[in-house]
């Protein structure tokens, strides 16, 4: 079967890999000049099954209200005259009950555990190198109330088989000595030894190369404009490349356009509740090896994640629900540099920080759309929000199974099934 994968981010590229492995002829279409150049470009780097607490939880509404008036808040909702934004916000509020949060944690842990093992198998099979580290993820709390609030979600994750351990400040510093300067401020921490980190862009580009070697065609520099449809079938995808319009045809299609999936799907009458949640990252050269972290970290109070990528430090976080603009807000960039330098002053060459923004394709529940649409030959693999890197290999493997008529190996609520 010939399949057109729309989008060459980490989700589209992994989807192409798993589909070609099942014997399909695959073409990937993307407007950029290469793979992994939008949201998968400079994310937090964490492969974090343990990061399964959804943004929507019982304590979220009050926090979001408080943060409305704080310009460097970790999650900022900037109200606009945009029905898609308000629809998203209302659905987010509906997800904030304990029962919904527990259900969403289950979805995220199941998909995450499966995905991490698919990534490990793929890495062993292909020998990919993307600055990966298998040193676990240490989540530290400087606010005692937040630490207490994390105990129940941690227990739920443990019940689901996630090896997230509760530890104290001494153990945290033993595991990651770079945290020594703030040891007295750590109220508590958790550590998940099986979690990992690595550069999502390097991975995506290395995998795209392997896909090409395996016969997958990548059509870069190609804007996807819309669809030709008849009844319950997609007949083609209308594209624009170097000023030329062309309709690309295949037997089936997979939508992996990140934050733009909702806009394209709307043309087909499919409502995907995906809204861009703009995030920031800084990438800084290591200055002092002794003072720099190696274990991937999550700083709960500031909602920042830290990954060591070779001789670089990557720190990412914050979420602004303010539309599709990727304009850099320097206040936010500087807040990330300030916090990281405060924790480990000697770790990085802070004056050489590179700033980046990306649009997380966020759903109100944090759970992605993976599976069938109401078109017989259109599949969805999109809306991965905060955890697209973590969930990429599992989502792609499961989607390839669904396309092939097989039952995926993971307990997850797939779309249209
Ligand atoms: C600050 C930040 C930190 C993050 N940290 C982590 C982390 O630590 N761990 C983790 O698991 N996840 C993390 N994420 C989330 C993760 O990066 C995303 O979920 C993931 O990159 C989404 O991948 P994607 O392939 O769906 O989207 P993208 O990478 O954006 O890919 C979509 C592709 O579609 C193409 N496209 C879109 N529209 C069109 C069109 N009309 N025509 C042609 N092509 C089009 C784009 O060019 C792009 O290449 C983070 C995200 C951000 C922003």
């Amino acid at each position: 079967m010939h399949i057109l994968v729309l989008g060459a981010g980490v989700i589209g590229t992994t989807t192409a890999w798993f589909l070609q492995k099942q014997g399909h002829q695959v073409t990937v279409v993307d407007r950029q000049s290469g793979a992994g150049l939008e949201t998968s470009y400079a994310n937090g780097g964490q492969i974090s099954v343990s990061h399964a607490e959804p943004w929507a939880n019982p304590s979220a509404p009050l926090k979001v209200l408080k943060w409305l008036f704080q310009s460097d808040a970790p999650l900022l909702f900037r109200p606009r005259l945009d029905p898609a934004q308000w629809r998203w916000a209302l659905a987010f509020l509906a997800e904030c009950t304990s029962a919904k949060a527990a259900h969403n944690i289950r979805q995220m842990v199941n998909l995450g555990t499966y995905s991490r093992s698919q990534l490990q198998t793929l890495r062993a099979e292909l020998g990919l190198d993307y600055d990966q580290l298998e040193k676990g993820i240490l989540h530290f709390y400087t606010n005692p109330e937040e630490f207490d609030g994390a105990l129940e979600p941690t227990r739920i994750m443990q019940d689901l088989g996630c090896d997230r351990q509760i530890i104290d400040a001494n153990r945290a510093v033993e595991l990651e000595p770079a945290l020594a300067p703030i040891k007295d401020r750590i109220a508590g921490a958790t550590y998940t030894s099986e979690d990992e980190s690595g550069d999502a862009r390097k991975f995506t580009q290395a995998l795209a190369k392997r896909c090409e070697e395996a016969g997958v065609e990548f059509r870069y520099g190609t804007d996807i404009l819309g669809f030709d449809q008849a009844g319950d079938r997609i007949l083609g995808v209308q594209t624009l490349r170097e000023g030329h319009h062309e309709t690309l045809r295949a037997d089936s299609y997979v939508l992996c356009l990140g934050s733009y999936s909702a806009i394209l799907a709307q043309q087909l009458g499919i409502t995907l509740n995906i809204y861009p949640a703009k995030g920031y990252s800084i990438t800084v050269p290591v200055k002092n090896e002794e003072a720099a972290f190696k274990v991937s970290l999550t700083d709960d109070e500031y909602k920042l994640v830290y990954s060591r990528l070779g001789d670089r430090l990557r720190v990412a976080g914050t979420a602004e629900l303010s539309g599709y603009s990727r304009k850099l807000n320097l206040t936010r960039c500087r807040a990330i540099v300030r916090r990281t330098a405060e924790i480990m002053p000697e770790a990085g060459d802070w004056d050489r920080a590179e700033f980046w923004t990306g649009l997380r394709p966020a759903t109100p529940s944090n759970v992605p759309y993976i599976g069938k649409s109401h078109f017989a030959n259109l599949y969805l693999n999109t809306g991965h929000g905060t955890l697209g890197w973590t969930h990429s290999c599992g989502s792609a493997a499961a989607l390839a199974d669904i396309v092939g008529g097989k039952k995926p190996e993971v307990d997850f609520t797939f779309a249209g099934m």
Side-chain angles (χ1 to χ4, degrees), residues 112 153 320 335 413:
E320 260 176 43
T413 308

Side-chain angles (χ1 to χ4, degrees), residues 83-133:
Q85 189 199 40
W86 285 93
R87 188 178 55 237
W88 193 96
L90 288 175
F92 176 86
L93 284 177
E95 294 291 331
C96 286
T97 64
S98 310
K100 289 267 178 74
H103 171 77
N104 294 334
I105 290 177
R106 194 172 317 120
Q107 298 271 298
M108 306 291 274
V109 171
N110 288 352
L111 183 60
T113 309
Y114 175 63
S115 199
R116 192 178 56 197
S117 77
Q118 289 293 320
L119 170 68
Q120 287 162 350
T121 308
L122 186 67
R123 187 169 62 218
E125 186 187 331
L126 300 182
L128 298 177
D129 185 10
Y130 51 93
D131 289 333
Q132 66 269 31
L133 281 178

Side-chain angles (χ1 to χ4, degrees), residues 16-330:
W17 175 260
F18 282 94
L19 285 171
Q20 70 74 30
K21 272 204 86 169
Q22 298 216 0
H24 301 294
Q25 180 197 342
V26 181
T27 304
V28 184
V29 187
D30 199 289
R31 62 186 170 197
Q32 294 291 344
S33 57
L37 294 180
E38 294 210 1
T39 310
S40 308
Y41 185 77
N43 70 18
Q46 291 192 331
I47 297 295
S48 50
V49 177
S50 59
H51 202 122
E53 289 123 309
W55 283 345
N57 60 59
S59 66
L62 211 63
K63 277 190 202 160
V64 174
L65 262 185
K66 197 180 87 188
W67 286 335
L68 265 181
F69 307 101
Q70 189 183 323
S71 68
D72 60 355
L75 200 155
L76 192 60
F77 180 67
R78 287 189 195 277
R80 293 157 55 93
L81 282 174
D82 176 357
Q85 189 199 40
W86 285 93
R87 188 178 55 237
W88 193 96
L90 288 175
F92 176 86
L93 284 177
E95 294 291 331
C96 286
T97 64
S98 310
K100 289 267 178 74
H103 171 77
N104 294 334
I105 290 177
R106 194 172 317 120
Q107 298 271 298
M108 306 291 274
V109 171
N110 288 352
L111 183 60
T113 309
Y114 175 63
S115 199
R116 192 178 56 197
S117 77
Q118 289 293 320
L119 170 68
Q120 287 162 350
T121 308
L122 186 67
R123 187 169 62 218
E125 186 187 331
L126 300 182
L128 298 177
D129 185 10
Y130 51 93
D131 289 333
Q132 66 269 31
L133 281 178
E134 294 164 73
K135 289 187 168 292
I137 293 182
L138 194 158
H139 192 138
F140 64 92
Y141 299 79
T142 42
N143 178 333
E145 278 172 33
E146 293 292 336
F147 178 58
D148 289 345
L151 298 177
E152 174 61 10
T154 301
R155 194 194 53 70
I156 297 175
M157 288 181 215
Q158 287 169 344
D159 287 349
L160 292 165
C162 176
D163 64 332
R164 188 172 169 179
Q165 301 300 317
I166 294 162
I167 58 172
D168 63 12
N170 286 330
R171 178 73 183 132
V173 174
E174 225 171 83
L175 287 163
E176 181 43 81
L179 287 173
I182 57 154
K183 182 174 155 190
D184 294 345
R185 285 161 53 195
I186 296 179
T190 67
Y191 179 61
T192 313
S193 62
E194 290 178 10
D195 276 342
E196 306 187 355
S197 57
D199 188 327
R201 175 187 59 82
K202 279 194 174 178
F203 171 87
T204 305
Q205 295 179 347
L207 186 63
K209 194 161 169 276
R210 296 305 187 92
C211 283
E212 281 179 309
E213 287 164 9
V216 175
E217 184 195 356
F218 282 80
R219 282 181 168 245
Y220 293 121
T222 305
D223 265 305
I224 297 161
L225 306 177
F227 300 90
D228 287 352
Q229 62 184 96
D232 74 340
R233 292 193 73 79
I234 304 295
L235 301 181
V237 173
Q238 299 154 7
T239 66
L240 180 64
R241 185 189 199 186
E242 293 172 354
H244 298 290
H245 287 272
E246 189 182 356
T247 301
L248 304 178
R249 300 191 193 282
D251 301 306
S252 288
Y253 304 81
V254 189
L255 191 68
C256 309
L257 295 173
S259 289
Y260 298 85
S261 292
I263 298 173
L264 267 294
Q266 194 64 49
Q267 295 189 22
L268 294 167
I270 300 172
T271 303
L272 299 178
N273 206 350
I274 296 173
Y275 197 78
K278 178 171 158 185
Y280 288 81
S281 77
I282 61 165
T283 306
V284 185
V286 170
K287 184 171 129 198
N288 176 348
E289 184 61 45
E290 298 289 297
F293 57 88
K294 287 205 181 67
V295 173
S296 186
L297 304 170
T298 301
D299 175 354
D300 192 81
E301 191 173 344
Y302 284 72
K303 308 282 179 250
L304 293 175
V305 301
Y306 302 60
S307 289
R308 176 68 178 267
L309 305 173
D311 57 3
R312 301 164 298 151
L313 307 174
R314 169 75 49 74
V315 186
T318 79
E320 260 176 43
L321 292 150
S322 57
Y324 284 81
S325 162
R326 287 188 53 219
K327 192 164 174 267
L328 276 173
N329 172 339
L330 285 176

